[in-house]
Amino acid sequence: MAECGRVDSNTSGHTMDKSITLPPDEIFRNLENAKRFAIDIGGSLTKLAYYSTVQHKVAKVRSFDHSTKVHDKLYEIAVQEEVTARLHFIKFENAYIETCLDFIKDHLVNTETKVIKATGGGAHKFKELIERKLGLKVDKEDEMTCLIKGCNFVLKNIPHEAFVYARHADSEFRFQTTNPDIFPYLLVNIGSGVSIVKVESEDKFERIGGSSIGGGTFWGLGALLTKTKRFDELLQLASKGQHSSVDMLVKDIYGGSYACLGLTGDLIASSFGKSATADKEFSKEDMAKSLLHMISNDIGQLACLYAKLHNLSRVYFGGFFIRGHPVTMHTITYSINFFTKGEVQALFLRHEGYLGAIGAFLKGAEEDNPNQYSWGENYAGSSGLMSVSPDMNPMQRARSGTFDMLEMDRLERQLVNLPLLQDASSYIPDTVDLTEDAQAREYWLYCFEEALDGVVKRAVASQPDIPEAAERAEKFRQKYRHKLQTLRHQPFAYGSLTVRSLLDTREHCLNEFNFPDPYSKIKERENDVALKYYQKAVKSLDELSWEDRQFAIVKGVLAGNVFDWGAKAVSEVLESNPEFGFEEAKRRLEVYPGSLLQGPPHRCALFFVDNSGVDIILGVMPFVRELLSRGTEVVLASNSGPALNDVTNSELQILTERIAAMDPVIKSALREDRLTLVQSGSSSPCLDLSRLDKVLAMVVRERQTDLVIIEGMGRAIHTNYYAMLSCESLKMAVIKNSWLADRLGGKLFSVVFKYEVPAGKAH
Amino acid sequence: MKIKNRKTKETTFPWFGMDIGGTLVKLVYFEPKDITAEEEQEEVENLKSIRRYLTSNTAYGTTGIRDVHLELQDLTLCGRTGNLHFIRFPTHDLPAFLQMGRNKHFSSLHTTLCATGGGAFKFESDFLTMADLELHKLDELDCLVRGVLYIDSVMSSGPLECYYFENPTDPDQCAEKPYALENPYPLLLVNIGSGVSILAVYSENNYKRVTGTSLGGGTFLGLCCLLTGCSTFEEALEMASQGESTRVDKLVRDIYGGDYERFGLPGWAVASSFGNMMSKEKRESVSKEDLARATLVTITNNIGSITRMCALNENIERVVFVGNFLRVNTLSMKLLAYAMDYWSKGQLKALFLRHEGYFGAVGALLELLHPS
C-alpha cells in the first residue's frame, strides 16, 4: 500500500542557487578520470556517484643484486606512481544541481562515458536538464532495486555502518560489529509512504508489505494542522511539544495504569483522542509531537509484525523520514522496543542517504564486477556522520550550501575473516571504544594532536629532494588536525572511535598528500643495522641451555618490540639517544615472562609481526627459528602497505632472503616451504582479524594452523587484546605509553604476555 | 454485602451493566416484563421511577441516547423475561449522570452496579462521593468477550447478530449478508473504540490481547475536529461521506502513472496518506469533506493492515470487528471488508456485529447475574 520512494520536490522549490561555498574541485574530486556516473535525485537532496582512478605515489622496495656488486644500501626504495580505483559519492541540495552539472561538464575529460544511471523520485524531473548539460543519456533504474543493492554494499564493505540510536546514553550512536553474514534482513524504508522489504541474498529481495502512513503523512497532515511548511521545521516543532495534551493516555481513561495487561498510564490509548472537541486550542508543538508519535509508533508496530511473521531479527530503517534525524530515530527506536519488548533493535545506517546512488552506480558498473572486490571507506575523503541534533550541533541548521562526501577505495586484496576466530559475529577488533570512554578519548585525541608535529617533520624528511614536500606536509597537518577536531565534537563520525581508527585516519591523510611511506629510510637503516647483529644474536642463543634459550627468545621478542617509532615515549628516546640499543632495551623491561614452548610442537604458527629493524630481525626471527627447529611450520603475516615503521610484506621478503643467506635453518625452511611469508591485506599499525587477505585465510586453513602469535601494542593491545581464537594464542607487547600503562595498572615498559588456550583444546 | 445478594438466584432489580470508555459510556438495562402483582406491590417507588424514566424516553438530557433499534425484546435472562435496552452518553457527561442517580436515590435500591472500562477505575471514587454508589469493577476485555458470545447466542432465533459484506471488492454488488457464527473459534476480535484492542479468542474462557493501536475512533474524531472544526462523530461521518480522499492522499498511480507492477501494487492504492498535502497548492484546493474522508480512510485502512498482520501471525481466518467507531459507519465497514478480502486474496473474512459498542456493558450485566 505504499510507494517505496521519495517526496516530489514541489515543496522545495526550483530556484537554482549559483553559489557554492566550497571550491567545487574539493567536492568533485578526480573528475578527470571519472566514469560510470549515477545520480539519485530525492525530494530535496541529490546524490551523485562516479568511479575514478587516483594516482598515488607508493614506495616500493626492490632488492639489489648483491652477487655482482657491493651496495652500501640494503635495498632500493623507489617511489612509483600507482593507480588505484576509488568511488566518489557526493550529496548536495537539489538547488545546486545546475551548478554542479556545469562544473562536471567542464571537467569531464573522459569521453567514453555515454550514459548516467538515475534513480529517485526526482530523476524524471531533471532528466532533460541532465541530458542537456552533460550530454549523457539518462538511464533510469528501479528505485527499490538500487536501494537494496546499495544497502548490501555498505553493510558488507563499511565497518560500523549500522548503529543503534540511544538518545540519552553517553554516546548517541552505538555501532554494531560487522557481521560477514548480512542476510537475511528487513529494510523499512520510510519515504512519503512506507515499504517493508525482506532481503534474503544479493539478488533476492521482496517487498512484503508497507503502509500509507509514512513521512508524507507526517509532512502533509503536519502542514495542515500547524500551518508549517517545511519538514525540518515540523520536526523542530515536534521536538518541543508535549503530546499528552493532545493524546488520550491510558491514565486519562483508567486514572492510572491498566495493570493486568501491563499497560502503563503514560501509554497512548488514542492518538489525538483529546482533540475531539471544538472548543479547545492546541499548540502547534503539541500537535506535531502527537503526530510524530502516532506515525512512528504505527510504523514500528507494523515493522515488528512483519519481522515476527518472517522471523527476522535485523531491521534497518531508512528513508527521508529517518535520514539522520535524531527525533525520528528516537521515536522509532522507542516504538520497536515497546512492541518487541526489546527483542528486536531498530538499526540505522551511517550512509543511509547514499544507498540509492550507490545502488544505481553498481547497476551501471556491473561489468567492472565491483562486488568481487573489497572496498574500504577512505577517512580522509569522507565527511563522516554529522549529528543533526540541535543541542549537539547548533550550526547544523545552517547547513545548506555544504556538501557531504563519501569516498571508498578499492582494496587490492579481497578481505575475509581469520578462520581461527572463535565467533566471527561477536568479534570486536578494538579493545577500547573511545566513543563511550570519554576519558580515554580525551587522552588519545590529545596524544595524536601532540604527535602531529613529529609526523609532519618525519613526512618532510622522508622526501628531502622534493621542494614542495613541506607545503604538502602542511596540508596534511591541516587536514588531520581538522579530522581530530571533528572527532572531538563528533566521535561517532566514522563509526566507533578507536585508537585504530585514529591511526588509520592519519595513514589515509598521509596518503592523500602523497606521503606513502615516511619511515621508509629509517626502516631501511634499522634493518641494515639489525641484520649485522643477526648472526651474533643467533649464536649466543644457540650457546644457551634449552631452558635459558626459551627464556631469552621471548625476552628478545619483547625487547625488540621496544623499538617503535609509533610510540611517543620510545621515539623520544630514539631521537635523543641514537646509542639506545637492544641490550639497553632488555634492561628496561620491567617484567620477564615465564618460559613457553613446552609440550609437543605445534603444527603451524601464524605470526602477526610488528616493526622493522631490531624487532623483526633480532626479536621475531630467532623465535621463528626456534619454532622451525621444533618442527613447527611458520606463516609470517606482515602488512601489505606501509604504516609507521611496521615492516611490510615486500620488505620482509628481502630481509628473509638476507637472513636465509646467513642462516641455514631459515634457508632450508624457506626452501622446504616450512616458512611462508604472507601479506595481511592491511596497511594499518593495528589489526582487524575480520578483514584479512583471502590468501592468508587460505594458507592458515591449509596448514592447519594451531598457534597464533600477535605482537606489538597496535595489534595485541589496542586491538585483539580480548579477541577469542579457536586455537592457542599468544599476545605479546611492551606497553610503550605511560597513560596506557597507568590504565592497565602497570608501569611504562611493562610487558604483556597473554598465552591463551581455548577450553577443551589443551595442547 | 451486595456481593452476597448476587449469589442467590434472585438478583435485586434494577439490572444494569455499564462500560465507561474513553469517549462514551455504554449502559445496558434489563427491563423485566414479567413482574407479578406481588412484586409490583413490593417494588419501591424509586425503582419504578427509574424504570419509567429509562423506558419511556429515547433521549436523556442533551447527550444521552437510547438505541431503540438495538433493543432485545422478550429476552429470558436468569429466569426472568423482559427487554434489554441499550443506552449511551459521552463520558464527559458522567457527572450529570451521577447527579441524576443521586436525585433518583439510586443508592437506596442497594443494588450492585457492575461496571467495566477504564472509567470504572478512574471514576470509582466519584460514584461513591457523588452518588453514594459502590462499583463492582470488571476487566473490560473479559466483559467484551463474554458479551459478544452471549449476544450472538441469544440472537440466533431472530435476525442474526453477525453479518458480513458479500462481494466486498465490487461496489455495485456489495451487500450485507447474515452470518451464522457457529463454532466461532478461533476468532480475532477487533474492538475499535477511542483506541483499538485486538484479541485472539480460542474459547469462552481462553483469549489473549494480541496487540492494540492508538490510531482508533478517537483519532478519527480528534483529527477531524482539528482539520474541519466539526465537533461530533455524526458530523464528521457526514462530511466524510461527501468528501473525496484521493484529492488528499497520494496514490500509487500519482507516483508511477499506474500500477507499480514489480511489487503488485494497484494504481488506486494509497501510497501516502495525506501525501498530497505536502504541496501548498493542493492544501489550498481541498475541502473539509475531503479531509474528513481521508482521515476516515487512513484510520480504517491502518486498522485493517494491523488486523491482517495479526491474523497472519496468529493463524486465524475469521475477524470480528466491534466497537462504536463502526456505529452508523458503513463506509468504514465496507472498507475493512474490502481490505481484508483484497490483501489476503480472499483468505480473511471480516465480520460485524449489530450491537457494535455494547458488548462490554452486556458482559458487565452478565457478571452481575452469573458471576464467573
Side-chain angles (χ1 to χ4, degrees):
Chain A
M1 277 206 280
E3 102 196 72
C4 48
R6 319 290 162 81
V7 180
D8 62 340
S9 61
N10 50 16
T11 35
S12 59
H14 289 296
T15 45
M16 292 293 177
D17 198 327
K18 288 281 180 190
S19 61
I20 291 180
T21 49
L22 291 173
D25 57 336
E26 282 183 19
I27 303 162
F28 301 102
R29 307 189 330 143
N30 299 314
L31 264 180
E32 313 78 60
N33 306 308
K35 58 174 185 173
R36 306 216 182 287
F37 281 84
I39 196 163
D40 173 13
I41 309 178
S44 51
L45 293 173
T46 296
K47 282 77 66 174
L48 186 80
Y50 56 91
Y51 168 99
S52 189
T53 46
V54 193
Q55 286 223 321
H56 267 306
K57 289 211 173 15
V58 286
K60 293 272 184 201
V61 295
R62 201 169 60 212
S63 189
F64 290 115
D65 185 354
H66 289 271
S67 58
T68 55
K69 193 182 161 205
V70 178
H71 289 272
D72 56 342
K73 283 196 178 140
L74 182 57
Y75 45 72
E76 183 187 15
I77 305 167
V79 173
Q80 296 172 358
E81 292 283 345
E82 192 185 66
V83 175
T84 57
R86 186 176 288 179
L87 305 185
H88 292 261
F89 304 98
I90 302 109
K91 185 162 73 182
F92 51 87
E93 292 190 13
N94 287 354
Y96 298 119
I97 281 188
E98 203 164 346
T99 323
C100 292
L101 292 178
D102 282 336
F103 181 85
I104 292 164
K105 179 69 193 161
D106 294 346
H107 294 78
L108 193 60
V109 194
N110 187 318
T111 48
E112 283 168 48
T113 303
K114 298 271 189 290
V115 281
I116 177 165
K117 290 282 178 188
T119 186
H124 67 277
K125 186 161 285 166
F126 293 97
K127 181 174 187 278
E128 193 271 330
L129 182 76
I130 297 167
E131 293 191 334
R132 179 161 47 84
K133 291 271 177 193
L134 295 185
L136 299 177
K137 188 179 163 292
V138 170
D139 191 3
K140 280 195 74 176
E141 285 293 335
D142 177 70
E143 213 170 316
M144 190 61 74
T145 310
C146 292
L147 203 61
I148 303 297
K149 268 195 170 303
C151 194
N152 292 339
F153 187 80
V154 296
L155 285 175
K156 270 191 307 193
N157 288 292
I158 306 190
H160 292 168
E161 176 60 32
F163 62 88
V164 167
Y165 184 76
R167 184 163 66 177
H168 298 298
D170 288 342
S171 152
E172 258 184 299
F173 305 91
R174 273 210 303 280
F175 295 95
Q176 304 295 294
T177 54
T178 318
N179 190 337
D181 304 317
I182 63 168
F183 304 110
Y185 66 85
L186 204 61
L187 178 67
V188 181
N189 192 51
I190 316 174
S192 50
V194 181
S195 279
I196 300 176
V197 186
K198 177 184 175 182
V199 187
E200 282 174 287
S201 71
E202 191 60 53
D203 302 302
K204 194 175 173 209
F205 69 89
E206 184 191 358
R207 183 189 189 276
I208 54 171
S211 167
S212 67
I213 300 186
T217 314
F218 178 70
W219 195 343
L221 197 45
L224 288 168
L225 291 171
T226 66
K227 313 274 178 271
T228 304
K229 287 173 207 150
R230 288 179 46 117
F231 180 74
D232 285 0
E233 287 170 37
L234 278 166
L235 282 182
Q236 282 279 310
L237 282 181
S239 64
K240 286 181 279 185
Q242 288 291 329
H243 75 105
S244 58
S245 62
V246 183
D247 289 342
M248 186 182 282
L249 309 183
V250 166
K251 69 181 172 201
D252 293 320
I253 301 176
Y254 273 82
S257 66
Y258 184 178
C260 71
L261 284 184
L263 304 179
T264 61
D266 287 323
L267 198 71
I268 305 169
S270 175
S271 295
F272 287 90
K274 281 185 192 155
S275 68
T277 164
D279 20 85
K280 237 178 104 183
E281 288 286 315
F282 296 92
S283 82
K284 290 179 178 186
E285 288 82 0
D286 293 353
M287 287 187 290
K289 179 65 167 258
S290 175
L291 187 61
L292 177 68
H293 275 304
M294 176 179 106
I295 290 167
S296 301
N297 286 338
D298 194 53
I299 296 169
Q301 180 171 25
L302 276 169
C304 294
L305 286 167
Y306 279 102
K308 190 180 165 198
L309 188 64
H310 293 264
N311 201 17
L312 297 168
S313 58
R314 272 174 291 189
V315 185
Y316 300 100
F317 288 85
F320 83 78
F321 184 70
I322 298 293
R323 202 140 301 162
H325 301 297
V327 197
T328 57
M329 288 196 285
H330 175 68
T331 52
I332 288 284
T333 300
Y334 176 89
S335 169
I336 295 292
N337 279 341
F338 174 79
F339 285 109
T340 69
K341 298 181 177 73
E343 277 174 30
V344 173
Q345 284 190 316
L347 297 168
F348 305 96
L349 301 169
R350 275 203 288 143
H351 299 100
E352 192 276 321
Y354 286 110
L355 302 186
I358 295 174
F361 167 79
L362 292 172
K363 282 292 278 184
E366 266 162 3
E367 62 192 71
D368 291 341
N369 264 329
N371 268 326
Q372 79 174 19
Y373 298 100
S374 289
W375 299 80
E377 180 179 10
N378 187 307
Y379 296 136
S382 302
S383 314
L385 185 68
M386 299 284 165
S387 173
V388 285
S389 157
D391 315 328
M392 291 203 55
N393 195 349
M395 293 309 288
Q396 211 55 49
R397 297 288 310 149
R399 212 182 156 198
S400 59
T402 67
F403 285 69
D404 192 90
M405 286 171 284
L406 165 65
E407 292 183 6
M408 295 186 73
D409 289 320
R410 190 173 79 197
L411 307 178
E412 277 178 53
R413 318 286 297 191
Q414 222 181 329
L415 304 183
V416 297
N417 272 320
L418 179 68
L420 296 169
L421 282 175
Q422 217 171 67
D423 175 19
S425 62
S426 66
Y427 168 72
I428 301 172
D430 305 289
T431 305
V432 181
D433 183 347
L434 303 180
T435 331
E436 283 174 11
D437 188 335
Q439 201 197 346
R441 177 170 74 238
E442 208 36 52
Y443 170 75
W444 286 110
L445 284 170
Y446 167 80
C447 188
F448 277 85
E449 193 137 13
E450 278 280 295
L452 190 50
D453 280 343
V455 177
V456 170
K457 213 168 98 187
R458 179 73 47 207
V460 178
S462 72
Q463 299 178 354
D465 309 326
I466 306 170
E468 41 81 46
E471 199 183 315
R472 268 189 290 119
E474 197 49 43
K475 281 188 184 159
F476 154 76
R477 183 209 299 275
Q478 281 170 17
K479 181 121 195 175
Y480 190 59
R481 182 173 285 160
H482 182 253
K483 290 278 168 196
L484 290 175
Q485 276 162 0
T486 305
L487 289 166
R488 204 177 282 279
H489 295 113
Q490 292 167 171
F492 44 77
Y494 300 96
S496 289
L497 183 67
T498 59
V499 174
R500 177 169 63 102
S501 73
L502 285 166
L503 284 164
D504 289 352
T505 307
R506 190 165 75 188
E507 295 300 325
H508 290 181
C509 291
L510 280 167
N511 284 331
E512 192 61 41
F513 294 100
N514 273 321
F515 293 107
D517 192 0
Y519 287 86
S520 56
K521 294 207 170 69
I522 291 180
K523 286 189 285 183
E524 184 194 32
R525 196 173 63 226
E526 290 179 351
N527 285 333
D528 196 32
V529 172
L531 276 177
K532 294 192 171 98
Y533 285 95
Y534 179 78
Q535 275 171 308
K536 196 176 145 201
V538 168
K539 186 162 176 278
S540 69
L541 282 171
D542 281 347
E543 281 162 3
L544 294 173
S545 70
W546 185 87
E547 200 170 342
D548 286 348
R549 193 166 71 240
Q550 311 306 310
F551 189 74
I553 281 170
V554 171
K555 197 164 133 187
V557 173
L558 291 162
N561 194 244
V562 171
F563 292 84
D564 181 3
W565 285 89
K568 194 165 151 259
V570 179
S571 59
E572 277 162 9
V573 175
L574 294 177
E575 293 269 11
S576 61
N577 177 15
E579 301 301 307
F580 183 81
F582 192 40
E583 296 309 313
E584 170 85 6
K586 281 198 218 171
R587 274 197 300 280
R588 287 237 185 166
L589 289 184
E590 288 279 325
V591 182
Y592 293 140
S595 59
L596 177 79
L597 305 180
Q598 284 165 335
H602 297 82
R603 268 192 308 271
C604 174
L606 168 66
F607 203 135
F608 288 99
V609 301
D610 188 7
N611 306 308
S612 309
V614 174
D615 189 349
I616 182 74
I617 295 165
L618 302 181
V620 173
M621 277 303 184
F623 195 123
V624 169
R625 191 172 185 272
E626 184 71 18
L627 284 167
L628 289 167
S629 12
R630 283 163 51 85
T632 303
E633 293 183 359
V634 178
V635 178
L636 282 181
S638 52
N639 271 1
S640 301
L644 293 169
N645 64 327
D646 292 12
V647 66
T648 64
N649 184 250
S650 41
E651 286 160 356
L652 191 55
Q653 301 274 3
I654 296 170
L655 298 181
T656 313
E657 276 168 31
R658 296 296 299 272
I659 291 169
M662 301 184 271
D663 185 344
V665 178
I666 299 293
K667 189 172 186 174
S668 65
L670 277 177
R671 198 178 50 228
E672 291 154 22
D673 208 19
R674 285 183 292 113
L675 173 60
T676 315
L677 306 186
V678 293
Q679 50 183 307
S680 65
S682 160
S683 305
S684 163
C686 291
L687 179 64
D688 179 353
L689 297 176
S690 67
R691 283 167 77 82
L692 290 176
D693 193 288
K694 208 174 176 177
V695 174
L696 184 153
M698 201 184 69
V699 170
V700 160
R701 245 190 303 257
E702 274 172 5
R703 310 247 160 154
Q704 296 175 303
T705 304
D706 52 358
L707 174 65
V708 173
I709 303 168
I710 307 176
E711 185 212 3
M713 279 232 302
R715 291 174 183 79
I717 307 289
H718 295 317
T719 56
N720 300 309
Y721 190 70
Y722 299 115
M724 305 279 279
L725 296 161
S726 59
C727 64
E728 286 173 56
S729 66
L730 174 60
K731 295 160 191 171
M732 289 189 282
V734 178
I735 306 295
K736 290 162 282 191
N737 172 295
S738 55
W739 181 87
L740 189 64
D742 264 3
R743 258 252 167 150
L744 297 173
K747 287 182 186 164
L748 189 62
F749 299 121
S750 290
V751 160
V752 169
F753 186 85
K754 204 177 177 200
Y755 174 62
E756 289 159 303
V757 182
K761 288 237 178 150
H763 186 64
Chain B
M1 47 159 195
K2 291 159 197 170
I3 304 294
K4 268 179 204 156
N5 250 350
R6 303 195 305 124
K7 301 271 185 199
T8 64
K9 274 249 155 130
E10 298 126 45
T11 308
T12 341
F13 286 120
W15 293 353
F16 281 109
M18 200 175 194
D19 176 4
I20 311 169
T23 311
L24 286 175
V25 179
K26 284 77 67 174
L27 190 69
V28 294
Y29 167 64
F30 183 79
E31 174 205 1
K33 296 297 266 187
D34 56 355
I35 296 173
T36 59
E38 198 184 342
E39 273 179 320
E40 177 93 40
Q41 282 222 318
E42 278 180 20
E43 197 173 34
V44 292
E45 203 45 45
N46 289 339
L47 183 59
K48 274 186 196 144
S49 136
I50 286 167
R51 190 171 75 228
R52 243 180 276 122
Y53 175 70
L54 290 176
T55 55
S56 59
N57 293 306
T58 57
Y60 315 94
T62 51
T63 54
I65 283 165
R66 181 153 64 86
D67 284 315
V68 184
H69 66 287
L70 293 178
E71 182 180 331
L72 296 181
Q73 291 181 345
D74 296 325
L75 188 72
T76 306
L77 194 56
C78 241
R80 302 299 300 255
T81 305
N83 300 340
L84 195 57
H85 297 278
F86 297 88
I87 298 162
R88 61 186 153 89
F89 59 88
T91 305
H92 60 75
D93 285 333
L94 193 69
F97 173 80
L98 292 177
Q99 190 57 48
M100 191 191 72
R102 188 191 188 92
N103 296 343
K104 295 199 177 293
H105 304 287
F106 200 95
S107 63
S108 69
L109 300 172
H110 297 291
T111 184
T112 304
L113 192 51
C114 280
T116 186
F121 298 82
K122 185 181 179 186
F123 301 111
E124 186 182 17
S125 60
D126 293 333
F127 272 83
L128 203 58
T129 55
M130 291 176 68
D132 194 26
L133 283 170
E134 202 177 317
L135 290 183
H136 181 53
K137 304 189 295 292
L138 299 163
D139 179 75
E140 63 174 297
L141 299 181
D142 289 342
C143 289
L144 175 71
V145 172
R146 209 170 164 187
V148 166
L149 298 174
Y150 173 76
I151 292 289
D152 184 66
S153 71
V154 298
M155 290 288 285
S156 54
S157 50
L160 284 182
E161 171 70 8
C162 184
Y163 60 99
Y164 70 102
F165 289 90
E166 203 179 46
N167 304 318
T169 51
D170 180 353
D172 300 325
Q173 299 288 308
C174 181
E176 202 178 303
K177 291 276 163 165
Y179 185 86
L181 198 58
E182 291 153 9
N183 301 322
Y185 312 112
L187 183 80
L188 205 64
L189 183 59
V190 182
N191 185 35
I192 318 174
S194 314
V196 181
S197 274
I198 300 178
L199 316 181
V201 185
Y202 300 101
S203 75
E204 181 163 358
N205 302 313
N206 180 13
Y207 76 86
K208 67 171 182 189
R209 184 181 189 271
V210 179
T211 188
T213 166
S214 70
L215 284 82
T219 315
F220 164 64
L221 186 55
L223 281 174
C224 273
C225 291
L226 293 172
L227 293 171
T228 70
C230 72
S231 57
T232 68
F233 183 64
E234 289 76 7
E235 261 181 276
L237 274 185
E238 177 56 27
M239 276 200 273
S241 70
Q242 289 164 22
E244 187 60 70
S245 62
T246 54
R247 283 198 274 264
V248 179
D249 294 339
K250 184 169 283 197
L251 307 186
V252 168
R253 66 162 178 259
D254 296 335
I255 301 165
Y256 297 101
D259 299 349
Y260 190 6
E261 276 156 26
R262 195 179 189 300
F263 296 121
L265 290 175
W268 53 260
V270 184
S272 172
S273 297
F274 286 84
N276 280 340
M277 298 297 91
M278 289 185 278
S279 134
K280 187 166 175 286
E281 303 85 67
K282 288 185 177 161
R283 279 201 294 277
E284 283 159 0
S285 72
V286 293
S287 67
K288 288 180 173 180
E289 287 75 15
D290 295 339
L291 292 173
R293 178 65 162 248
T295 310
L296 189 75
V297 170
T298 301
I299 300 297
T300 305
N301 277 338
N302 189 60
I303 294 170
S305 288
I306 292 172
T307 301
R308 200 171 58 81
M309 288 311 295
C310 290
L312 282 171
N313 270 325
E314 302 300 321
N315 202 17
I316 297 178
E317 289 182 356
R318 248 175 321 186
V319 185
V320 175
F321 291 95
V322 296
N324 268 320
F325 173 65
L326 299 175
R327 193 175 62 77
V328 298
N329 187 0
T330 318
L331 267 176
S332 287
M333 287 192 280
K334 285 190 174 173
L335 264 172
L336 285 170
Y338 185 112
M340 289 301 109
D341 188 84
Y342 183 87
W343 295 108
S344 74
K345 301 186 172 69
Q347 283 292 295
L348 287 174
K349 200 169 201 71
L351 303 170
F352 303 93
L353 299 177
R354 300 201 186 281
H355 287 84
E356 285 131 4
Y358 284 107
F359 299 107
V362 171
L365 174 67
L366 294 173
E367 190 63 26
L368 171 76
L369 304 172
H370 306 280
S372 52

